[in-house]
Amino acid sequence: MPLIAPSLLAANFLRLEEESRMLNESEADWFHLDVMDGRFVPNISFGLPVISAIRKATSKVCDVHLMIEEPEKYAEEFKRAGADILSVHFEACRHLHRNIQQIKSLGMKAGVAINPHTPVESLYDILDQIDLVCMMSVNPGFGGQKFIPKTIDRIRTLRGAINQAGLDVLIEIDGGVTLENAGAIVAAGADVLVAGNTVFASPDPKATIRLLKEIGNK
Ligand code: DX5
Ligand code: ZN
């Protein structure tokens, strides 16, 4: 079964405590937390104080997706705020290997996020250093966008490379995941489904989370 990581970018920010409680009671595996700086992506979301607050509201894994430049400046603070997994963008890191070492030395799992235009082959030489690839299936910066179909081929290619190398790297798919496309995404080789609007805009988010897990299992 895939791991389900609801993105709190789509939550009601006036009710983060209730939204967290709902996720705690649900079959969600991780909390996906999207940090945007208005430089790497054309949008600003939330940052350290919000993550610290959410950390107090859950014991589930906090999966922090940094869409920021110079992530090395903040890695330590995100650890302190409660991140369990910290993903940095391939396109934002001039010294990616160093960024990954920094994240691991701080005691977090290290993820690398890649934009839809970045060849998955760009990651091959660091796959053995990381725990997770956050493959963007939309252009990062906004929730509620449409899934880019080419992602399916990209998942297959990356899954093949990970398996061939005998590595234990999770593939997380982020952006436009729905009840309609979740089955194909998991069949192609994804392990983790991020879902923002599909979960939070649904009339029954807990039931939707369960359905995402089940659909992915078929
Ligand atoms: C987009 C973020 C996503 C976003 C997903 O830049 O990285 O995590 O919240 O939202 P949906 O599932 O609504 O596309
Ligand atoms: Zn994200």
Side-chain angles (χ1 to χ4, degrees):
M1 279 206 197
L3 300 176
I4 308 300
S7 165
L8 279 97
L9 190 62
N12 181 342
F13 290 170
L14 276 178
R15 299 171 177 236
L16 279 179
E17 193 170 4
E18 276 167 68
E19 301 278 50
S20 300
R21 196 177 310 130
M22 178 279 290
L23 292 183
N24 287 338
E25 290 164 1
S26 79
E27 289 172 48
D29 299 278
W30 297 355
F31 280 39
H32 184 83
L33 301 165
D34 289 301
V35 177
M36 305 178 186
D37 66 354
R39 291 175 67 215
F40 179 67
V41 287
N43 195 10
I44 297 175
S45 57
F46 51 76
L48 292 156
V50 172
I51 291 178
S52 300
I54 291 172
R55 173 74 286 169
K56 295 192 183 85
T58 189
S59 53
K60 294 197 184 194
V61 167
C62 284
D63 168 37
V64 176
H65 176 193
L66 295 184
M67 285 162 271
I68 69 172
E69 290 179 8
E70 300 183 290
E72 62 278 2
K73 284 193 181 166
Y74 307 97
E76 205 172 329
E77 287 182 80
F78 279 105
K79 167 68 184 173
R80 221 176 295 135
D84 298 298
I85 305 171
L86 197 64
S87 294
V88 293
H89 260 269
F90 176 84
E91 303 81 6
C93 295
R94 196 172 291 160
H95 301 286
L96 182 61
H97 190 278
R98 181 180 288 152
N99 292 72
I100 292 163
Q101 300 315 311
Q102 180 196 29
I103 293 167
K104 294 202 294 190
S105 73
L106 288 165
M108 295 177 282
K109 298 226 160 147
V112 175
I114 52 167
N115 283 341
H117 73 267
T118 300
V120 292
E121 289 80 3
S122 310
L123 299 179
Y124 287 4
D125 288 334
I126 42 109
L127 277 181
D128 63 339
Q129 302 292 314
I130 63 180
D131 300 290
L132 172 93
V133 173
C134 175
M135 186 185 280
M136 295 309 301
S137 36
V138 298
N139 288 297
F142 302 92
Q145 302 181 79
K146 218 171 147 312
F147 183 85
I148 299 171
K150 176 79 184 159
T151 309
I152 296 291
D153 288 341
R154 290 163 56 76
I155 300 169
R156 276 198 206 102
T157 305
L158 182 61
R159 171 52 57 201
I162 291 170
N163 289 356
Q164 205 182 333
L167 297 169
D168 194 15
V169 181
L170 296 175
I171 302 179
E172 174 180 60
I173 300 305
D174 189 5
V177 173
T178 63
L179 291 172
E180 288 69 38
N181 61 24
I185 293 170
V186 175
D191 307 286
V192 188
L193 300 176
V194 174
N197 282 269
T198 291
V199 167
F200 287 99
S202 96
D204 186 346
K206 281 190 222 172
T208 302
I209 290 167
R210 182 170 316 124
L211 280 173
L212 280 170
K213 269 197 108 80
E214 283 166 8
I215 288 171
N217 199 29
K218 282 194 184 125

